[in-house]
Amino acid sequence: MALLHGLLWPLRLWNDHVLRVGRWIAIVAIALMVLAILIQVFFRYVLSNPLAWPEEAARFLMLWMTGLVAPTAYRRGGFVAIDLISEAMPKAAAHILNLALLLVSLMVLAVAVPIAFGEVTGFNAAFKTSALYYPTGDGWEKVPRVWMQYSIVVGTLLMIIVNIELLLRQIIKILGGEGDLPPVMEAEAGAK
């Protein structure tokens, strides 16, 4: 049991800190996304002169917000789940079922990684956005589309790390160490 707790501790610490930073970046991203949409509404409907960049900027920010918040939602059990069966089962059987479902999730995420990397290294890597620019030493350059697609890679890799933490927690529960487990998120420790 000490070995499992020793493996869990660095993952929990990593997830606590990295996901906290990701949530704050996502909050900024959603605020900027709303601002970009409001700018577009003003220019489109008040001035009758829509801008080219706000919709693409909002999409860019939405992808990154999703990639950075999805691991936190997964860790907290915030995804849609049908838990009627596991709640009706005895506790030990429910823990084993949850372990099996986490293993299936890990397999799906493992399949997603090469797909995500394929998006940022393959054919799509050559494309640039149509309306977003960033400054360079030689003037302005279009933003590469892969900058958006990296959100998929980051989100998938973070979800794999969260999944491994949840797997270790589930194994500890199966072995009877549920009472020794710290809360999933540090913020939840004070909320309970």
Side-chain angles (χ1 to χ4, degrees), residues 100-161:
L101 293 173
L102 285 168
L103 288 169
V104 169
S105 297
L106 183 60
M107 288 188 296
V108 170
L109 289 167
V111 168
V113 170
I115 295 170
F117 273 110
E119 288 296 314
V120 297
T121 60
F123 178 71
N124 288 332
F127 295 114
K128 304 219 182 235
T129 58
S130 59
L132 295 179
Y133 292 85
Y134 68 97
T136 66
D138 299 331
W140 291 85
E141 184 77 31
K142 284 188 175 184
V143 171
R145 194 168 295 273
V146 297
W147 289 8
M148 281 194 268
Q149 295 165 333
Y150 272 119
S151 65
I152 300 167
V153 174
V154 169
T156 304
L157 291 175
L158 289 174
M159 286 179 59
I160 286 174
I161 296 168

Side-chain angles (χ1 to χ4, degrees), residues 27-92:
I27 289 168
V28 171
I30 199 166
L32 292 173
M33 182 175 70
V34 168
L35 180 64
I37 292 169
L38 290 175
I39 289 170
Q40 181 68 327
V41 167
F42 177 77
F43 274 83
R44 181 181 300 268
Y45 297 109
V46 176
L47 301 180
S48 296
N49 187 17
L51 300 172
W53 63 267
E55 292 171 25
E56 197 156 22
R59 243 187 331 271
F60 184 97
L61 294 164
M62 180 185 62
L63 284 170
W64 273 102
M65 183 250 334
T66 303
L68 293 171
V69 171
T72 296
Y74 184 44
R75 189 177 191 212
R76 291 181 175 180
F79 286 174
V80 175
I82 301 171
D83 55 4
L84 184 66
I85 295 171
S86 64
E87 287 183 4
M89 298 172 87
K91 199 173 191 178

Side-chain angles (χ1 to χ4, degrees), residues 5 8 12 168-170 172-173 177-184:
H5 281 283
L8 178 64
R12 186 176 64 84
L168 287 171
R169 287 176 168 278
Q170 205 60 43
I172 291 170
K173 287 178 184 179
E178 189 170 1
D180 300 335
L181 283 173
V184 172

